[in-house]
PDB file of all heavy atoms in Angstrom:
ATOM      1  N   THR B 293      90.065  70.261-137.251  1.00  0.00           N
ATOM      2  CA  THR B 293      89.371  71.101-136.288  1.00  0.00           C
ATOM      3  C   THR B 293      88.433  70.251-135.435  1.00  0.00           C
ATOM      4  O   THR B 293      87.636  69.496-135.977  1.00  0.00           O
ATOM      5  CB  THR B 293      88.531  72.160-137.032  1.00  0.00           C
ATOM      6  OG1 THR B 293      89.404  72.845-137.922  1.00  0.00           O
ATOM      7  CG2 THR B 293      87.931  73.156-136.069  1.00  0.00           C
ATOM      8  N   GLY B 294      88.554  70.364-134.117  1.00  0.00           N
ATOM      9  CA  GLY B 294      87.647  69.647-133.222  1.00  0.00           C
ATOM     10  C   GLY B 294      87.926  68.162-133.113  1.00  0.00           C
ATOM     11  O   GLY B 294      87.078  67.405-132.665  1.00  0.00           O
ATOM     12  N   GLY B 295      89.109  67.718-133.524  1.00  0.00           N
ATOM     13  CA  GLY B 295      89.439  66.288-133.368  1.00  0.00           C
ATOM     14  C   GLY B 295      90.292  65.786-134.515  1.00  0.00           C
ATOM     15  O   GLY B 295      91.227  66.452-134.938  1.00  0.00           O
ATOM     16  N   LEU B 296      89.954  64.627-135.010  1.00  0.00           N
ATOM     17  CA  LEU B 296      90.700  64.031-136.116  1.00  0.00           C
ATOM     18  C   LEU B 296      89.757  63.796-137.292  1.00  0.00           C
ATOM     19  O   LEU B 296      88.562  63.547-137.095  1.00  0.00           O
ATOM     20  CB  LEU B 296      91.282  62.674-135.698  1.00  0.00           C
ATOM     21  CG  LEU B 296      92.233  62.633-134.503  1.00  0.00           C
ATOM     22  CD1 LEU B 296      92.660  61.190-134.225  1.00  0.00           C
ATOM     23  CD2 LEU B 296      93.447  63.502-134.749  1.00  0.00           C
ATOM     24  N   CYS B 297      90.330  63.871-138.480  1.00  0.00           N
ATOM     25  CA  CYS B 297      89.564  63.487-139.671  1.00  0.00           C
ATOM     26  C   CYS B 297      89.975  62.058-140.035  1.00  0.00           C
ATOM     27  O   CYS B 297      91.168  61.778-140.197  1.00  0.00           O
ATOM     28  CB  CYS B 297      89.880  64.449-140.816  1.00  0.00           C
ATOM     29  SG  CYS B 297      89.098  63.942-142.352  1.00  0.00           S
ATOM     30  N   ALA B 298      89.007  61.181-140.094  1.00  0.00           N
ATOM     31  CA  ALA B 298      89.291  59.787-140.436  1.00  0.00           C
ATOM     32  C   ALA B 298      88.885  59.534-141.883  1.00  0.00           C
ATOM     33  O   ALA B 298      87.809  59.958-142.308  1.00  0.00           O
ATOM     34  CB  ALA B 298      88.533  58.859-139.503  1.00  0.00           C
ATOM     35  N   LYS B 299      89.787  58.892-142.623  1.00  0.00           N
ATOM     36  CA  LYS B 299      89.447  58.506-144.010  1.00  0.00           C
ATOM     37  C   LYS B 299      89.732  57.025-144.123  1.00  0.00           C
ATOM     38  O   LYS B 299      90.842  56.591-143.804  1.00  0.00           O
ATOM     39  CB  LYS B 299      90.322  59.251-145.021  1.00  0.00           C
ATOM     40  CG  LYS B 299      90.048  60.725-145.110  1.00  0.00           C
ATOM     41  CD  LYS B 299      90.997  61.373-146.100  1.00  0.00           C
ATOM     42  CE  LYS B 299      90.906  62.888-145.941  1.00  0.00           C
ATOM     43  NZ  LYS B 299      92.013  63.592-146.558  1.00  0.00           N
ATOM     44  N   GLU B 300      88.749  56.304-144.588  1.00  0.00           N
ATOM     45  CA  GLU B 300      88.919  54.854-144.652  1.00  0.00           C
ATOM     46  C   GLU B 300      88.603  54.353-146.064  1.00  0.00           C
ATOM     47  O   GLU B 300      87.621  54.784-146.668  1.00  0.00           O
ATOM     48  CB  GLU B 300      87.971  54.194-143.644  1.00  0.00           C
ATOM     49  CG  GLU B 300      88.122  52.691-143.576  1.00  0.00           C
ATOM     50  CD  GLU B 300      87.104  52.095-142.615  1.00  0.00           C
ATOM     51  OE1 GLU B 300      87.281  52.250-141.401  1.00  0.00           O
ATOM     52  OE2 GLU B 300      86.122  51.503-143.104  1.00  0.00           O
TER      53      GLU B 300
END
Side-chain angles (χ1 to χ4, degrees):
Chain B
T293 306
L296 301 178
C297 174
K299 291 178 192 164
E300 183 183 286

